[in-house]
Amino acid sequence: MSNIVLKCENLNKSFGKKKILTDVSFEISKGDILGFIGPNGSGKTTTIKLILGLNSINSGKVTINGFDIEKDFERAIQKVGAIVENPDMYMYLSGYENLKLIAKLYKGISKERIDEVVKLVKLEGRIKDKVSKYSLGMRQRLGIAQALLNHPNLLILDEPTNGLDPEGIKELRDLLKSLAKKENIAVLISSHNLAELENFCNKVCIIQNGKVIETSEVKKLKKEIIESSYIFEVEDTSNINNIIKNANVIDDSHFIVNIQREEIPEVIANLVNKKIPIYEVKENIVSLEEAFLNKTGGNKID
């Protein structure tokens, strides 16, 4: 049985004469957290709306758990949970009362299932409090609890970190990682916060001007844009160029050199022979934001 939960194939969408999406294709498997990123106006939200059946597809195909979103909408959407920006909820009701209302929209959601999702999002201690007393991070967790009630295996989140403080972002990050690993849920997350996505996701899909320009594992994408290189922290770099061939001095105590991992001992041996104290050696890894800017030609996410 296939592990692929969501598959988008050659999606095209126009509004009037304006082309929004051109042949957008990507897929997500069980346990994946895929970051869907691109500059404003690149087509992220439109793609999400096509996936959820909120907009019609001009051409192409979306299948969820093997079901076509247009031909078999009910079965395709049956195992999908989604939050688009801030989740809707009744502020004057408790978190638990909100979940009970959502549960009534589905068949067979038991009290045990409500208790289960409350535990999953770690709201046990506050679930009987009114939502008006919740922090924004707690409301996001309650929103995810709502999205999880129907046992989804695909979770779609559009800008879920908007307005969250660092603690709220960490809570969300830990929750999504746990859901992907322990519940084997596939997660599609669209966000402007690339620094946080780097901690959330194992894969990334970059969209620009309505076209997918890269789909890759995050680690692979980051390694693609630079040669293998390592940063050395030493006591003094004033004489490094005479000791290490092709060394690039960064400052008084750091230099970088383009080498493979297996060449590190040789560099260390050369430094030790010259009695240069070594404090740290680390791989030079670019950030997701740097990789994104490289792929999009410096096109920032606003």
Side-chain angles (χ1 to χ4, degrees):
M1 190 175 179
S2 174
N3 283 326
I4 297 171
V5 177
L6 168 67
K7 190 169 187 176
C8 297
E9 300 176 82
N10 302 116
L11 294 180
N12 288 276
K13 180 65 181 177
S14 298
F15 291 107
K17 293 183 179 180
K18 187 174 182 181
K19 190 72 180 284
I20 306 297
L21 300 178
T22 304
D23 293 327
V24 168
S25 298
F26 63 90
E27 60 188 40
I28 310 176
S29 297
K30 293 176 183 177
D32 279 341
I33 304 179
L34 185 139
F36 192 43
I37 60 177
N40 274 350
S42 59
K44 299 188 301 295
T45 299
T46 299
T47 303
I48 288 173
K49 287 182 177 180
L50 297 190
I51 292 169
L52 294 173
L54 300 175
N55 279 340
S56 60
I57 301 169
N58 292 151
S59 66
K61 187 178 180 182
V62 172
T63 53
I64 303 173
N65 294 311
F67 299 109
D68 189 305
I69 195 69
E70 292 197 309
K71 294 178 181 177
D72 203 348
F73 177 77
E74 285 192 14
R75 284 203 284 182
I77 210 72
Q78 189 175 20
K79 292 294 182 182
V80 178
I83 301 175
V84 180
E85 294 187 345
N86 294 325
D88 292 327
M89 52 192 66
Y90 295 100
M91 304 295 284
Y92 60 90
L93 296 178
S94 71
Y96 195 81
E97 288 167 332
N98 271 274
L99 290 177
K100 283 173 66 178
L101 284 175
I102 297 296
K104 289 178 181 178
L105 300 175
Y106 302 103
K107 292 180 181 178
I109 302 296
S110 65
K111 178 185 180 300
E112 287 73 26
R113 178 57 182 170
I114 296 175
D115 293 339
E116 187 180 354
V117 297
V118 169
K119 191 175 180 180
L120 274 174
V121 301
K122 297 180 179 172
L123 277 177
E124 304 102 304
R126 299 290 302 276
I127 197 62
K128 297 296 177 69
D129 292 354
K130 287 185 179 181
V131 174
S132 59
K133 295 181 180 179
Y134 284 10
S135 67
L136 192 53
M138 290 170 65
R139 289 177 207 165
Q140 284 288 42
R141 281 190 280 152
L142 182 62
I144 291 175
Q146 291 176 347
L148 292 173
L149 279 171
N150 63 326
H151 297 274
N153 64 355
L154 173 62
L155 192 59
I156 298 176
L157 307 175
D158 188 19
E159 298 295 345
T161 62
N162 272 0
L164 293 184
D165 59 18
E167 184 180 356
I169 291 173
K170 182 184 182 301
E171 289 173 352
L172 181 64
R173 179 178 71 228
D174 293 345
L175 173 59
L176 292 180
K177 283 184 172 181
S178 175
L179 290 172
K181 186 175 181 179
K182 295 178 182 177
E183 304 292 315
N184 219 16
I185 291 176
V187 182
L188 171 64
I189 178 169
S190 168
S191 177
H192 286 87
N193 194 336
L194 297 190
E196 280 309 320
L197 277 186
E198 192 166 352
N199 296 319
F200 279 56
C201 307
N202 64 314
K203 293 184 179 178
V204 67
C205 177
I206 301 174
I207 185 170
Q208 183 178 26
N209 298 323
K211 298 178 181 179
V212 170
I213 61 172
E214 181 77 25
T215 303
S216 176
E217 292 183 3
V218 172
K219 289 180 180 178
K220 184 179 177 184
L221 175 67
K222 287 159 61 177
K223 283 189 174 182
E224 272 181 9
I225 70 168
I226 59 168
E227 288 184 69
S228 175
S229 58
Y230 289 83
I231 297 172
F232 288 73
E233 182 182 358
V234 295
E235 187 170 86
D236 179 25
T237 58
S238 59
N239 198 38
I240 285 299
N241 291 118
N242 295 325
I243 302 169
I244 307 300
K245 187 180 179 182
N246 299 322
N248 230 330
V249 174
I250 300 172
D251 54 35
D252 291 343
S253 57
H254 295 85
F255 70 90
I256 186 170
V257 60
N258 294 336
I259 54 173
Q260 298 299 318
R261 179 181 172 84
E262 55 269 23
E263 296 175 89
I264 293 174
E266 183 183 343
V267 174
I268 292 174
N270 287 339
L271 293 170
V272 171
N273 287 338
K274 295 295 182 179
K275 295 184 169 38
I276 303 290
I278 306 160
Y279 299 112
E280 185 181 28
V281 180
K282 63 181 179 181
E283 188 176 5
N284 181 31
I285 300 176
V286 299
S287 68
L288 178 58
E289 183 172 11
E290 289 171 313
F292 170 81
L293 292 174
N294 179 272
K295 288 290 180 180
T296 60
N299 215 330
K300 290 185 178 180
I301 293 184
D302 300 317

